[in-house]
Amino acid sequence: EYRQQIRLEATPVKPLIEMIVNQLSSSWKRKKLTVTLEEPSESVAIKTNADWLKQVFVNLIDNSVKYTPEGGKILIKHWIEDNMAYFMVKD
């Protein structure tokens, strides 16, 4: 019954990531970090619970900001391959 109440909808990934990067900008700018969002050639939208996906990205990007040394670089990348969505946060 709980699973039937979970709302899944097509969620564009890029705007979600951009919003989170902007929300965390004071933290990464304070540490003089370079944050790069590498976009795929085609837009990516996945069927998911948008709030849950947002929380995953917030956790990944926030941890990357916290643990990257001052002046470091963070790369955020997403893509579709073989009908699967992939996400990478590299610091």
Side-chain angles (χ1 to χ4, degrees), residues 7-91:
R7 186 172 179 181
L8 303 178
E9 56 192 13
T11 304
V13 175
K14 180 185 173 193
L16 187 61
I17 294 173
E18 288 176 331
M19 178 184 64
I20 295 163
V21 168
N22 287 332
Q23 286 176 345
L24 298 174
S25 66
S26 62
S27 297
W28 59 264
K29 286 179 179 179
R30 187 177 325 112
K31 290 182 71 178
K32 299 179 179 111
L33 302 175
T34 301
V35 177
T36 303
L37 174 56
E38 188 175 301
E39 302 175 40
S41 57
E42 298 180 28
S43 64
V44 174
I46 60 173
K47 191 170 185 178
T48 186
N49 180 292
D51 291 333
W52 291 356
L53 183 61
K54 179 182 176 185
Q55 190 60 54
V56 168
F57 286 138
V58 166
N59 290 344
L60 289 171
I61 297 168
D62 186 52
N63 282 343
S64 191
V65 169
K66 285 178 185 175
Y67 297 108
T68 299
E70 188 169 321
K73 297 178 183 181
I74 298 171
L75 172 64
I76 304 165
K77 183 176 177 179
H78 62 283
W79 69 97
I80 296 287
E81 187 176 306
D82 296 329
N83 208 30
M84 296 287 292
Y86 293 89
F87 308 99
M88 179 182 76
V89 178
K90 180 180 177 182
D91 52 41

